[in-house]
Amino acid sequence: MLFRQLQKITKKSLFATLFLNLRYNQGMTANVANNKLGGISESCSFGDVCLLGCKVTGRAIFEYFVSHAKQLNSLAIFGLSAGDAADLEGWLKDRNLSQDKLPFKLALYVGEQEVHGNYDLAIASPGIPYHTPFYQSALKCAKELICEPELAWRISPERWIGVTGTNGKTTTTSLIAHLLNEAGIKARTVGNIGNPCIEAIVKRSADEYLIAELSSYQLYSTVQFAPDTSVLLGITPDHFSWHGSYEAYEQAKLKIFANLAAESLAVVDATNEPACAALRTLRANNQPSIGVGTCEGLYHSMAAQCGAQNAAYVSPDSHTLTVVLDKKPHELCHIADLKIRGPHNITNALLAASVALHVGANPKQVTQGLQSFSAPEHRLEPCGEVDGVRFYNDSKATNTDAAIKAVESFGDDEGRKVIALFGGSDKGTELDELVTACSRNCKTVLCYGEAGERLYKAFSTCDAFEVLPLKDFSEACVAAVAASAEGDTILLSPACASFDEFPCFEARGGAFKEFVAGLRAGLRPREAAEKAMLAAKELC
């Protein structure tokens, strides 16, 4: 296991610093030996279990355990609202069940944000930060604390592909599944992408791959999780409020490599320095790996630069995506044939193609899949054209690094024709690089919402574009149309969370798409914006 190898490395090593400070439990709470062929085994036993919270993740776990009741002795759920508890009791009643009819003991604790008692296993929902009394009390009361993806993996551990990184997780996860399915290899997306892993393992067939998008919140609470293939995109600053520091955030991301088996594959964005540092450690320990690009960029190959047996890059001569496996190059499609925009999506395509070829898809199938894949919703999603002005919804860009990549997707060949909307809940991240990116590609920058004032001050230091302060999202949409001309691109890529005006980034992106739909239907911009904001209330 990589963990044991890392113990031998100097304490100055990035990985050693990370993993030597982590609690590692040799024992498996679940008996996974009986699950090697896929499916669910009732011999899998967890003992006494407590859940922290019961929203989307906790509810999925609750429903799984009720359907597989022989796998535990007792289930305690803490942090419930009165409504949550009533919903769970109603769910049981609808199935002609009650607490006294269940073969395990069920206890519901309304409003209790600290765990008490003794448990074999605690399972934390991703929205509960590790530094809260809720999480810390569970650590003291349970032999182990894990996340929901690890629970699902322990029950059904075969054919997992884990994907993490700061930006691009959803696109890469979706693209891997698309490439495999196009090649006739069964695959489904799970995890942070919006599909609980615990639900998927019940539905999966014996030969189906689970492509798991994993957030830093989830990875923080992994103990033994070991996917067959681990994919690491770039790591850039984000989620300071949850992790407390960039260093803690980076360490959580790198846990995807903590338990790699000797034959497991790591696929890494080598153009990003933190990810490349991880790759160097993996290679030093003879871990099978594929580096996408090098520190010099996507047009450089690890095979040529350092003799690696595996590599993925863009051919500088033909501009084709190229993956080298066991020193054999596979030329795929031209970068212009991708439907997804921007250099970051070329990286995502190379990461996904590397995984698909490794799993067993042939180059022709992978090429066809790359050419047919479209952007997932809210990720640089084209959402229409009005009077020669194109609109792109990149609401998922909740940090500056994602917004920079979005702006740079409309590059020098198109000149400065981007009208960018930035704003929302302020994450307090540095803005200098975003201002620089806008100076190359934007004609107008619109700053709105809670973060609007700070954004406006930062962008006002640059005279390469017009910058306007707006009250809110609706006003920014109207102003964007007023500032546009034929041939321009209006880009929503907020660089902020959505929570000042919207419950989630999906609602914000949905409002933008409704706004564009209103314009296309002939509404005036203000009317379209008002209608869009009303529609957004129905989302999330």
Side-chain angles (χ1 to χ4, degrees):
M1 299 288 280
L2 178 60
F3 180 86
R4 296 185 185 90
Q5 295 170 337
L6 291 171
Q7 288 179 311
K8 301 176 183 178
I9 304 174
T10 171
K11 289 185 179 180
K12 294 182 180 180
S13 161
L14 174 66
F15 275 75
T17 301
L18 167 59
F19 291 119
L20 292 179
N21 291 324
L22 295 175
R23 185 179 65 175
Y24 184 76
N25 190 327
Q26 294 284 354
M28 295 289 281
T29 301
N31 174 14
V32 296
N34 294 319
N35 293 282
K36 288 296 182 181
L37 298 179
I40 306 301
S41 170
E42 290 295 344
S43 65
C44 189
S45 178
F46 293 94
D48 297 315
V49 176
C50 72
L51 299 185
L52 279 61
C54 204
K55 298 298 184 183
V56 175
T57 298
R59 179 62 178 264
I61 296 169
F62 166 78
E63 293 183 5
Y64 171 84
F65 277 135
V66 171
S67 300
H68 299 82
K70 293 181 180 179
Q71 293 185 351
L72 72 171
N73 301 326
S74 69
L75 179 64
I77 308 177
F78 290 86
L80 291 164
S81 67
D84 292 333
D87 285 345
L88 296 184
E89 290 172 345
W91 187 88
L92 290 170
K93 185 177 180 181
D94 289 343
R95 286 151 184 78
N96 198 30
L97 293 170
S98 60
Q99 293 192 34
D100 58 353
K101 289 184 179 180
L102 291 171
F104 60 82
K105 182 180 178 181
L106 175 63
L108 307 179
Y109 296 95
V110 174
E112 296 195 31
Q113 295 292 316
E114 289 198 24
V115 175
H116 46 80
N118 294 288
Y119 303 94
D120 296 297
L121 185 68
I123 307 165
S125 295
I128 301 170
Y130 71 92
H131 50 76
T132 59
F134 201 9
Y135 191 104
Q136 291 298 316
S137 63
L139 273 179
K140 295 176 182 177
C141 293
K143 295 176 182 177
E144 284 188 296
L145 189 156
I146 63 173
C147 60
E148 180 263 345
E150 176 153 341
L151 173 70
W153 171 81
R154 290 188 181 193
I155 296 168
S156 184
E158 294 298 293
R159 295 169 303 284
W160 282 71
I161 297 169
V163 180
T164 198
T166 302
N167 297 306
K169 295 186 295 298
T170 296
T171 299
T172 303
T173 300
S174 301
L175 182 49
I176 293 170
H178 176 77
L179 295 180
L180 293 183
N181 282 313
E182 289 294 296
I185 301 169
K186 294 179 184 178
R188 73 171 69 205
T189 60
V190 298
N192 192 59
I193 200 168
N195 308 316
C197 302
I198 198 70
E199 292 180 355
I201 61 170
V202 177
K203 301 173 184 176
R204 76 186 300 197
S205 58
D207 57 348
E208 186 174 40
Y209 281 85
L210 297 183
I211 321 301
E213 178 185 324
L214 300 165
S215 71
S216 58
Y217 304 166
Q218 292 167 321
L219 284 167
Y220 181 90
S221 297
T222 54
V223 178
Q224 297 150 2
F225 179 69
D228 304 291
T229 301
S230 296
V231 180
L232 177 64
L233 292 83
I235 304 174
T236 54
D238 202 1
H239 298 304
F240 290 172
S241 61
W242 200 98
H243 291 281
S245 68
Y246 169 75
E247 291 74 18
Y249 169 69
E250 180 184 41
Q251 289 176 3
K253 288 292 187 185
L254 292 175
K255 285 188 74 177
I256 196 168
F257 298 136
N259 301 308
L260 287 178
E263 69 278 8
S264 297
L265 179 71
V267 185
V268 180
D269 175 7
T271 67
N272 172 262
E273 177 50 37
C276 192
L279 178 62
R280 287 192 289 268
T281 301
L282 291 164
R283 293 190 67 211
N285 286 278
N286 298 315
Q287 187 72 41
S289 61
I290 301 175
V292 172
T294 73
C295 59
E296 297 177 17
L298 282 178
Y299 285 80
H300 298 266
S301 166
M302 283 280 182
Q305 180 171 300
C306 51
Q309 287 192 331
N310 305 319
Y313 61 99
V314 179
S315 169
D317 299 321
S318 63
H319 299 282
T320 56
L321 304 182
T322 305
V323 177
V324 179
L325 293 179
D326 295 325
K327 297 188 176 181
K328 182 180 179 180
H330 302 281
E331 291 195 353
L332 307 172
C333 66
H334 191 281
I335 59 173
D337 293 332
L338 296 172
K339 292 182 179 180
I340 47 180
R341 293 188 63 105
H344 64 293
N345 275 323
I346 297 174
T347 303
N348 297 340
L350 284 167
L351 290 161
S354 299
V355 173
L357 290 169
H358 168 73
V359 167
N362 68 50
K364 182 178 179 181
Q365 293 168 327
V366 172
T367 296
Q368 292 172 343
L370 289 169
Q371 293 171 331
S372 63
F373 180 76
S374 298
E377 191 176 16
H378 310 302
R379 281 92 175 161
L380 267 183
E381 175 192 8
C383 49
E385 183 174 317
V386 180
D387 296 331
V389 177
R390 297 173 299 170
F391 292 78
Y392 283 84
N393 163 33
D394 195 40
S395 182
K396 182 62 172 67
T398 59
N399 55 59
T400 54
D401 183 64
I404 289 167
K405 288 180 169 65
V407 169
E408 291 178 340
S409 296
F410 303 89
D412 296 335
D413 57 325
E414 300 181 40
R416 290 201 322 245
K417 293 187 176 182
V418 174
I419 299 164
L421 284 71
F422 300 122
S425 301
D426 198 346
K427 288 188 172 183
T429 49
E430 292 294 326
L431 299 171
D432 291 349
E433 292 185 19
L434 180 57
V435 173
T436 300
C438 290
S439 71
R440 294 191 291 263
N441 298 307
C442 293
K443 63 178 284 187
T444 305
V445 169
L446 307 176
C447 306
Y448 71 89
E450 180 185 287
E453 183 177 353
R454 189 173 81 91
L455 292 168
Y456 178 72
K457 288 180 180 179
F459 284 107
S460 296
T461 62
C462 181
D463 58 6
F465 46 77
E466 179 185 27
V467 56
L468 299 174
L470 283 309
K471 177 183 176 182
D472 54 28
F473 178 82
S474 178
E475 293 291 333
C477 288
V478 173
V481 174
S484 67
E486 184 177 355
D488 286 347
T489 294
I490 294 178
L491 169 67
L492 171 67
S493 190
C496 297
S498 61
F499 305 127
D500 58 340
E501 295 185 74
F502 301 95
C504 57
F505 74 82
E506 292 94 341
R508 177 172 60 190
F512 187 73
K513 291 164 68 174
E514 285 288 338
F515 172 68
V516 178
L519 296 176
R520 296 181 72 184
L523 296 180
R524 294 179 179 180
R526 189 164 298 281
E527 292 174 322
E530 290 172 355
K531 183 179 178 182
M533 293 303 290
L534 288 173
K537 293 180 180 180
E538 304 299 321
L539 299 172
C540 290

